[in-house]
C-alpha cells in the first residue's frame, strides 16, 4: 500500500506570516502623513536593510506592499510615532516598497514609497537542475499500472526553499518557498532549466530542496526517504573556482543531482 502525504509540507506550500492581516479594504480618506526612510537604497542580493517609518501622530498599524497595494501585508498594534522595519530582497534591479499607516479611528495615511536597487554582488544565479538518481528510481511508484506501462514510474518534481525574514516586523528567519519546478511525467528526462527565473542567492546561504512524486495533487510521495523530506546545500565551497555545474551526492538515500 502506498504511503501518501501532503506534498513536501513547508517546502512547496507558500507560507503566511501573522503580519498578513488587514483591517479594512476600503480605507477612509487620508488625514495624516508618514515618512519612510531606508538605511540604504542600494543593497546586494539577500542583504538586510531597514526602513524607518515615522509620523507626528501615534500609528496603530503599518502596511507594506511591493506592487502599490494591489497586494499588501501589515501589522496592527501600537507603534507610537516610529517603527523600524527589516527587509531583504533578491530581485536584482530596481524595486519599490510602498508603505501606509493607520491611526485611531481607522484613519489611513497617504502612501509613501521607498526605491531600492538590488545589485547581484557575489550572488550565485541558479539556472538549472538535473536529478541523476533518487531512491527507487526506475521502480514502481504507481502500482495500479503494470511494469510494462511507463505510467508506473514516478512523476517527479522538486521545490527550493530559501531562508528569508519572517516579516519586516520580526528579526527571525525561516525557510520559505522560493521555486517549484514543473512535473516530469513518468520520470521524463529529470532535467529542468529555469534560467529566466532569476534565482539569485548568496553562496553561503542554504537552499533547502525537496523531491517528490506527484500523485493526485495535493497528495504525493516523498523521494527523499524522509524524515526529513528535504536536503540543504549551498555554494560556499565554490566561490573561488566558480564552476558552471556542481554535483551534490547523498549516498545514504541514493540521491545525486547536478545544479547549474
Amino acid at each position: 500500500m502506498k504511503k501518501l502525504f501532503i506534498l513536501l509540507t513547508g517546502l512547496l506550500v507558500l507560507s503566511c506570516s501573522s503580519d498578513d492581516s488587514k483591517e479594512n479594504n476600503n480605507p477612509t480618506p487620508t488625514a495624516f502623513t508618514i515618512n519612510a526612510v531606508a538605511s540604504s537604497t542600494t543593497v546586494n542580493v539577500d542583504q538586510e536593510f531597514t526602513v524607518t517609518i515615522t509620523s507626528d501622530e501615534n500609528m496603530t498599524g503599518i502596511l507594506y506592499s511591493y506592487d502599490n497595494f494591489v497586494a499588501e501585508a501589515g501589522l496592527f498594534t501600537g507603534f507610537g510615532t516610529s517603527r523600524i522595519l527589516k527587509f531583504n530582497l533578491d530581485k536584482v534591479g530596481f524595486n519599490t516598497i510602498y508603505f501606509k499607516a493607520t491611526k485611531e479611528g481607522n484613519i489611513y495615511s497617504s502612501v509613501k514609497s521607498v526605491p531600492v536597487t538590488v545589485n547581484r554582488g557575489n550572488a550565485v544565479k541558479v539556472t538549472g537542475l538535473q536529478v541523476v538518481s533518487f531512491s527507487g528510481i526506475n521502480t514502481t511508484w504507481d502500482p495500479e499500472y503494470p511494469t510494462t506501462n511507463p505510467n508506473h514510474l514516478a512523476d517527479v518534481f522538486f521545490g527550493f526553499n530559501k531562508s528569508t525574514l519572517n516579516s519586516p516586523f520580526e528579526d527571525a528567519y525561516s525557510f520559505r518557498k522560493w521555486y517549484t519546478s514543473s512535473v516530469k511525467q513518468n520520470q521524463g528526462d529529470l532535467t529542468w532549466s529555469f534560467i529566466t527565473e532569476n534565482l539569485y542567492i548568496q553562496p553561503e546561504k542554504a537552499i533547502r530542496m525537496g523531491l517528490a512524486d506527484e500523485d493526485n495533487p495535493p497528495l504525493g510521495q516523498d523521494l527523499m526517504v524522509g524524515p526529513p523530506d528535504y536536503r540543504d546545500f549551498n555554494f560556499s565551497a565554490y566561490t573561488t573556482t566558480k564552476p558552471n555545474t556542481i554535483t551534490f551526492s547523498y549516498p545514504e538515500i541514493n540521491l545525486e543531482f547536478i545544479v547549474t
Side-chain angles (χ1 to χ4, degrees):
M1 180 180 226
K2 288 190 296 185
K3 182 179 179 182
L4 299 179
F5 66 103
I6 299 297
L7 291 175
L8 302 178
T9 301
L11 278 169
L12 304 183
V13 178
L14 182 63
S15 300
C16 293
S17 298
S18 59
D19 64 341
D20 292 334
S21 59
K22 293 181 286 183
E23 282 194 345
N24 190 341
N25 290 323
N26 299 297
T28 56
T30 59
F32 76 109
T33 61
I34 61 171
N35 290 312
V37 178
S39 59
S40 178
T41 57
T42 302
V43 297
N44 289 332
V45 167
D46 295 326
Q47 180 182 346
E48 189 176 297
F49 65 97
T50 63
V51 177
T52 302
I53 309 297
T54 59
S55 175
D56 291 336
E57 304 190 50
N58 288 324
M59 296 177 289
T60 59
I62 296 176
L63 298 100
Y64 65 96
S65 173
Y66 299 104
D67 55 14
N68 201 11
F69 292 99
V70 174
E72 64 186 41
L75 184 65
F76 292 89
T77 186
F79 288 116
T81 59
S82 179
R83 178 64 183 246
I84 297 175
L85 308 183
K86 294 185 176 182
F87 294 89
N88 58 344
L89 304 176
D90 61 9
K91 180 185 175 184
V92 172
F94 185 78
N95 296 258
T96 303
I97 312 175
Y98 301 87
F99 300 92
K100 60 186 175 182
T102 60
K103 68 174 184 177
E104 288 296 334
N106 199 31
I107 306 299
Y108 280 70
S109 75
S110 55
V111 174
K112 290 290 184 180
S113 61
V114 172
V116 180
T117 299
V118 178
N119 295 322
R120 176 173 178 172
N122 67 342
V124 176
K125 183 179 182 182
V126 185
T127 61
L129 182 134
Q130 178 187 0
V131 175
V132 178
S133 65
F134 59 85
S135 180
I137 191 170
N138 299 324
T139 63
T140 295
W141 287 87
D142 295 308
E144 61 269 30
Y145 297 101
T147 56
T148 55
N149 186 328
N151 285 303
H152 78 99
L153 298 169
D155 301 319
V156 181
F157 73 108
F158 70 90
F160 285 157
N161 268 19
K162 179 179 179 179
S163 178
T164 60
L165 281 162
N166 286 346
S167 92
F169 304 96
E170 301 179 32
D171 293 326
Y173 282 71
S174 62
F175 282 94
R176 294 172 177 270
K177 177 184 174 181
W178 191 34
Y179 178 77
T180 302
S181 77
S182 60
V183 179
K184 297 291 185 177
Q185 299 290 334
N186 307 325
Q187 287 188 187
D189 58 6
L190 296 182
T191 300
W192 292 262
S193 175
F194 36 90
I195 192 170
T196 61
E197 295 295 331
N198 294 317
L199 300 180
Y200 291 94
I201 189 168
Q202 290 295 326
E204 71 278 2
K205 286 180 69 76
I207 296 175
R208 178 160 289 183
M209 175 181 167
L211 191 69
D213 162 43
E214 183 182 65
D215 193 351
N216 298 320
L219 298 178
Q221 300 182 90
D222 172 30
L223 300 180
M224 291 285 205
V225 197
D229 60 352
Y230 61 84
R231 290 297 186 274
D232 293 344
F233 65 94
N234 65 37
F235 305 109
S236 60
Y238 306 96
T239 55
T240 301
T241 55
K242 299 180 180 179
N244 289 326
T245 62
I246 301 172
T247 300
F248 295 91
S249 298
Y250 302 85
E252 71 278 8
I253 57 171
N254 192 35
L255 175 66
E256 183 173 297
F257 55 88
I258 302 170
V259 180
T260 305

